[in-house]
Amino acid sequence: MKTAKPATAPPASPALPAVELRVPTDEDALNWHRVFNDPEVMEFHGGSPAELSVYEELTARQRRHHAELGFCLYTLLDPADGAVIGFTGAQPWPRDWGPAGEIEIGWRLGRAYWGRGYATAAATAALASVRAAGVRHVVAMVDARNERSIAVTRRLGMRRAETVIPPEGNRTAYCHRLEL
C-alpha cells in the first residue's frame, strides 16, 4: 500500500503550533503503543495501556477508513523532529450505543505533548479532510471528567448536545456536536 506523505497544516491560529498528519503506517501501531503506554494518557480510555495488538488492528482500520471514506484517525507528528506524538482525526463511531452511525472526531496525545495546543491544531486540520469528504457534522464523545478534551471541543466550536451513560454504567460521557 502506498503511504501518504505527511502534510503540514498551518497553525489554526497564531497561538497554535503547526502540525503534521499522515495516514497511519504499519509502524505506527508500535509508535502509538509506545506513546500511549502511560496510565495518565489512558485514564479516560479504559484506564490501563492497551496491548500492541489493539494498535495493530486500529492502525489497519484507519488505513481502510482513509481509503474508503477519505479520512481517518491520522498519526500526529511533531513538525520539529518527526516524532509520533499521538493521533487525531475522525472515524465512524465504533459502538452500537451513543451516536451510532455518526462520524466522531477524536484525539489522543502522549503526556509530554499535553498543553501545547497540538490537539486543537491537529483536530482543526483533520476537520478539513472530513469536510472534503462531504461530511456535514461530527460528534466528539468525551468522558465527563476529561476537562482537557472538553476544552478542545470548545476551542473547535463544538456544543455539548447530550449526556450519555455507556452500557457499563460506570461513567458519564458528553456528546459534543459540530456542524461543518
Side-chain angles (χ1 to χ4, degrees):
M1 173 181 215
K2 190 173 180 182
T3 302
K5 183 179 179 198
T8 301
S13 76
L16 294 177
V19 294
E20 289 184 25
L21 304 176
R22 73 169 176 226
V23 175
T25 64
D26 286 333
E27 295 80 21
D28 284 334
L30 184 59
N31 292 324
W32 289 5
H33 181 260
R34 178 187 45 77
V35 80
F36 301 146
N37 191 18
D38 179 328
E40 281 189 88
V41 171
M42 298 305 291
E43 178 180 5
F44 304 113
H45 306 285
S48 60
E51 296 294 322
L52 177 58
S53 62
V54 170
Y55 295 111
E56 290 169 339
E57 190 281 327
L58 183 57
T59 55
R61 183 172 2 119
Q62 297 314 310
R63 288 190 295 278
R64 285 192 307 274
H65 286 328
H66 191 266
E68 295 168 4
L69 304 172
F71 56 86
C72 66
L73 293 177
Y74 297 99
T75 295
L76 174 56
L77 304 169
D78 184 331
D81 63 9
V84 171
I85 64 174
F87 66 62
T88 191
Q91 66 176 345
W93 174 251
R95 297 173 178 87
D96 59 1
W97 54 268
E102 297 194 60
I103 302 300
E104 180 196 32
I105 185 165
W107 46 86
R108 187 180 310 166
L109 277 67
R111 176 68 184 96
Y113 302 96
W114 292 2
R116 298 186 190 182
Y118 284 118
T120 302
T124 299
L127 283 172
S129 63
V130 175
R131 281 188 190 97
V135 174
R136 301 262 190 237
H137 71 274
V138 294
V139 299
M141 288 291 288
V142 179
D143 186 295
R145 301 167 298 160
N146 190 341
E147 295 177 17
R148 291 178 185 273
S149 281
I150 291 170
V152 172
T153 66
R154 283 194 297 270
R155 286 191 292 273
L156 293 173
M158 301 185 90
R159 64 175 173 72
R160 189 167 86 190
E162 60 195 276
T163 299
V164 177
I165 309 258
E168 307 87 50
N170 59 354
R171 60 191 170 98
T172 300
Y174 297 137
C175 181
H176 300 263
R177 295 185 180 280
L178 178 66
E179 298 298 321
L180 301 177

